[in-house]
Amino acid sequence: RKEVEQDPGPFNVPEGATVAFNCTYSNSASQSFFWYRQDCRKEPKLLMSVYSSGNEDGRFTAQLNRASQYISLLIRDSKLSDSATYLCVVTLSGSARQLTFGSGTQLTVLP
Amino acid sequence: EAQVTQNPRYLITVTGKKLTVTCSQNMNHEYMSWYRQDPGLGLRQIYYSMNVEVTDKGDVPEGYKVSRKEKRNFPLILESPSPNQTSLYFCASSPIIRGTNSYEQYFGPGTRLTVT
């Protein structure tokens, strides 16, 4: 079983739609959680950190469920520019500098 | 401009010919890391460094070497490249902020390596 699992998609949604991605992690000692965005084989860039209480940044909302060991990303009012691959990332307790990446979920927003 | 640079961006080489991919950051970050990205496998960490002269293995270190003689540079060395090392490689850096595990990693633009 992979340490971090994501549905690879692709998710094809119309502009303006709401879309949600889930990511599960296997190690209960995982401590920090992030969503990164990667455009077409370019470098990944941090989209948002995921806090225990959940957090929102504009159209993006991230949630953490430690009991079920998953994190989620919700995108409201999708824009064409949201088309990208979204990477779920976790770090282990005591090894905060080692990131474990999911293989990514591909999103295409259609006009 | 704050950035992570990698060179070369593209490289085609033959099995067994030693090569080095350079990585440099101008943000005075303590932490640097190398990843490889392969279809369906995501990014996997090769090596990381917490500071000068401090390096550790990541998840897939076999066939690679690194060094951290200066804070800004973290070269990746393939002593004897093989075709299974054909991949997209990313270097990344981040500051180490005491008392927190939340931080952002800044990635270089990537190096696409093909070993024939």
Side-chain angles (χ1 to χ4, degrees):
Chain A
R1 183 186 173 188
K2 289 183 181 177
E3 289 186 49
V4 179
E5 290 206 60
Q6 296 182 248
D7 183 341
F11 285 66
N12 298 320
V13 302
E15 216 173 348
T18 295
V19 60
F21 310 134
N22 277 346
C23 164
T24 58
Y25 59 94
S26 60
N27 194 323
S28 59
S30 297
Q31 193 165 58
S32 300
F33 308 88
F34 311 90
W35 284 102
Y36 274 70
R37 170 191 169 132
Q38 186 175 25
D39 293 296
C40 198
R41 304 300 268 178
K42 292 192 173 180
E43 71 271 24
K45 293 184 180 178
L46 180 67
L47 178 66
M48 57 198 305
S49 301
V50 186
Y51 303 122
S52 297
S53 55
N55 47 301
E56 188 174 308
D57 182 2
R59 297 181 293 108
F60 298 84
T61 301
Q63 297 277 354
L64 167 62
N65 186 317
R66 284 192 185 272
S68 301
Q69 293 183 206
Y70 76 83
I71 68 173
S72 64
L73 177 67
L74 181 78
I75 306 175
R76 290 181 299 278
D77 188 23
S78 302
K79 312 289 184 194
L80 297 177
S81 57
D82 294 333
S83 297
T85 297
Y86 292 83
L87 306 172
C88 170
V89 184
V90 307
T91 68
L92 291 176
S93 174
S95 183
R97 301 304 147 188
Q98 257 188 287
L99 303 185
T100 301
F101 285 76
S103 53
T105 297
Q106 185 181 339
L107 170 67
T108 301
V109 181
L110 304 168
Chain B
E1 181 191 353
Q3 60 182 351
V4 179
T5 57
Q6 295 178 226
N7 281 292
R9 295 287 313 279
Y10 303 90
L11 179 60
I12 300 174
T13 189
V14 296
T15 299
K17 186 176 181 183
K18 181 180 178 179
L19 66 92
T20 298
V21 184
T22 64
C23 173
S24 184
Q25 51 95 2
N26 62 1
M27 295 169 280
N28 202 37
H29 287 166
E30 293 90 348
Y31 177 87
M32 297 186 75
S33 182
W34 275 103
Y35 299 88
R36 61 177 289 174
Q37 187 173 33
D38 303 288
L41 296 176
L43 278 105
R44 292 177 294 167
Q45 191 172 49
I46 302 170
Y47 270 95
Y48 65 98
S49 169
M50 299 287 280
N51 215 326
V52 175
E53 301 293 0
V54 181
T55 62
D56 270 303
K57 295 178 181 179
D59 297 317
V60 288
E62 295 78 21
Y64 304 95
K65 286 173 58 177
V66 292
S67 68
R68 189 90 183 274
K69 293 186 171 60
E70 305 164 285
K71 198 172 187 179
R72 64 182 293 128
N73 295 323
F74 191 45
L76 179 70
I77 303 152
L78 285 73
E79 294 271 4
S80 183
S82 61
N84 64 11
Q85 292 179 297
T86 292
S87 188
L88 178 59
Y89 291 86
F90 288 105
C91 180
S93 74
S94 77
I96 293 180
I97 303 171
R98 305 282 183 254
T100 177
N101 287 325
S102 291
Y103 59 96
E104 176 176 0
Q105 289 209 356
Y106 297 81
F107 284 82
T111 295
R112 188 171 292 280
L113 172 66
T114 301
V115 183
T116 61

